[in-house]
Amino acid sequence: MTNYFRRARVYVVGKQVMPQADVQRFLDDEGAVWITDTDNPAHRIPELAGRICYMSFGEKQGRKENAPYLANIIEVGHGSVLEHSVISLLFTGISRSLTHELVRHRAGFGYSQLSQRYVDETEANFVVPPAIQGDTALEGMLKDLCEQSLKVYGALTDRLAERMAAPQALVDFAVKEGALVEQPGGKFFMPDGDGGGKTLAEWQRLAGSDEATQKQLKKLTIRARRKSAREAARAVLPNATETKIFVTGNARAWRHFIEMRGDTHAEAEIRALACDVCRVLQKEAPNLFGDYVIDRMPDGSERTRTIHRKV
Ligand SMILES: Cc1cc2nc3c(=O)[nH]c(=O)nc-3n(C[C@H](O)[C@H](O)[C@H](O)COP(=O)(O)OP(=O)(O)OC[C@H]3O[C@@H](n4cnc5c(N)ncnc54)[C@H](O)[C@@H]3O)c2cc1C
């Protein structure tokens, strides 16, 4: 049963720890005293990083609370300090068109996205763009296209898989995969096999006539053949195809994302995601993201804004 997503799912899947013993060892080595009022590593880490710049500990420590300390960092635009605070989010229920825009954010981000070459998309899900949501006729058009694309995808992968199992293709894949290895003299060996070396033409003849050889070559090339079939067949899947992506970003990078993609000019699906990310990060690290306001627009969608842009 095909699923049609209307909103991204956002999971917090990685956060930092700050090993207190080593922090204390550093403070003891320097004869320094650090007073702060938060246990949250997302807050403590950038505060310590900022304090290192001026060694503002003990008597030189002005602010004793983390919130005003980080607020000042943001106010003066000392954004590199925020790069020490890192969080990983996992997004599902988002479209390939969204991730095409998401991965344009380079600085301070790392990505791991579901592979359409390795993962079979026969039962792929899809995302309904916000502008289409709720309009039965338009949703129907989108769903018809998605169902049709799945049918063509399935037929293409089957036909390609069949073609790739023909004797010559099997031998080509085996060479590419290292299942047949060339030795001096132009003969090819199966590293784990017991037979002697054979020319490629001989292997092809055997692949067509000898059932055992054919079976073995099919087994040795199955992953590569499936991957090749999928990488071609995915061309017919629409931008609306659902994907999953694991994103690690530092606080400065996440702030830039929230500003660029939470803006009213941003595309509607990624804008909704930016607002959800903003809410999640405000909960995780209010002292780093608390200056953002999320407004509801007349059309019911949301946008983000802050007076501290691009710190
Ligand atoms: C509303 C909207 C419309 C868009 N339309 C289009 C479009 O039509 N076509 C299109 O191709 N893209 C478009 N984009 C994408 C946009 O051009 C950026 O690629 C994307 O927003 C990432 O921004 P960034 O480069 O600032 O982010 P990041 O890559 O995360 O960089 C963050 C910051 O680091 C600095 N930086 C990063 N790399 C370099 C570098 N190599 N040299 C110097 N400084 C660097 C810059 O200050 C940059 O702002 C659009 C974006 C938005 C929000």
Side-chain angles (χ1 to χ4, degrees), residues 8 38 43 56-57 63 72 77 85 92 174 189 228 231 252 292:
T38 175
H43 292 156
S56 55
F57 299 98
R63 297 177 180 84
N72 183 59
S85 190
T92 67
F189 292 76
S228 284
E231 79 184 13
R252 188 184 205 182
Y292 289 104

Side-chain angles (χ1 to χ4, degrees), residues 101-109 111 253 256-257 259-267 270 310:
E101 296 190 354
L102 174 63
V103 299
R104 295 293 301 277
H105 292 265
R106 303 156 290 175
F109 280 116
Y111 302 99
H256 186 55
F257 168 77
E259 286 155 35
M260 298 294 285
R261 302 301 178 171
D263 188 87
T264 47
H265 296 98
E267 186 271 338
I270 201 168
K310 205 169 187 198

Side-chain angles (χ1 to χ4, degrees), residues 37-271:
D37 63 347
T38 175
D39 290 332
N40 185 346
H43 292 156
R44 284 171 71 85
I45 290 171
E47 180 181 339
L48 181 62
R51 292 196 177 284
I52 295 294
C53 298
Y54 309 109
M55 284 304 282
S56 55
F57 299 98
E59 284 173 9
K60 287 206 258 163
Q61 179 174 342
R63 297 177 180 84
K64 306 271 190 303
E65 295 93 27
N66 179 272
Y69 184 86
L70 292 182
N72 183 59
I73 293 275
I74 290 168
E75 174 77 31
V76 300
H78 196 178
S80 61
V81 167
L82 307 187
E83 293 172 15
H84 299 290
S85 190
V86 173
I87 192 157
S88 301
L89 302 179
L90 170 59
F91 304 139
T92 67
I94 54 173
S95 67
R96 295 276 299 191
S97 52
L98 185 153
T99 55
H100 189 79
E101 296 190 354
L102 174 63
V103 299
R104 295 293 301 277
H105 292 265
R106 303 156 290 175
F109 280 116
Y111 302 99
S112 298
Q113 181 169 11
L114 179 143
S115 166
Q116 283 189 326
R117 298 175 72 208
Y118 282 90
V119 177
D120 179 26
E121 291 279 46
T122 311
E123 293 184 2
N125 295 312
F126 299 94
V127 174
V128 184
I132 293 180
Q133 289 179 19
D135 185 317
T136 317
L138 295 187
E139 284 203 21
M141 284 165 71
L142 177 83
K143 288 177 183 175
D144 285 349
L145 182 277
C146 293
E147 305 294 334
Q148 178 62 15
S149 77
L150 284 185
K151 278 191 197 131
V152 178
Y153 174 85
L156 275 177
T157 38
D158 288 349
R159 293 278 290 276
L160 284 165
E162 215 173 282
R163 233 178 55 189
M164 289 168 188
Q168 183 174 340
L170 270 187
V171 172
D172 290 349
F173 270 108
V175 173
K176 250 199 299 189
E177 284 298 285
L180 286 177
V181 181
E182 188 171 12
Q183 299 287 324
K187 301 257 175 150
F188 287 78
F189 292 76
M190 222 181 251
D192 299 329
D194 55 359
K198 296 175 187 57
T199 64
L200 283 185
E202 285 169 335
W203 278 113
Q204 276 164 22
R205 262 197 305 280
L206 270 182
S209 58
D210 180 56
E211 209 177 304
T213 306
Q214 193 182 84
K215 210 169 146 191
Q216 198 169 7
L217 286 174
K218 275 188 178 170
K219 193 173 147 208
L220 290 168
T221 58
I222 189 156
R223 256 183 27 177
R225 284 186 291 119
R226 280 187 183 150
K227 197 174 83 179
S228 284
R230 285 175 192 140
E231 79 184 13
R234 69 175 169 169
V236 300
L237 295 174
N239 267 339
T241 307
E242 189 245 352
T243 185
K244 306 174 203 309
I245 191 164
F246 189 121
V247 188
T248 298
N250 67 55
R252 188 184 205 182
W254 280 121
R255 284 185 63 95
H256 186 55
F257 168 77
I258 289 169
E259 286 155 35
M260 298 294 285
R261 302 301 178 171
D263 188 87
T264 47
H265 296 98
E267 186 271 338
E269 186 192 355
I270 201 168
R271 176 150 52 92

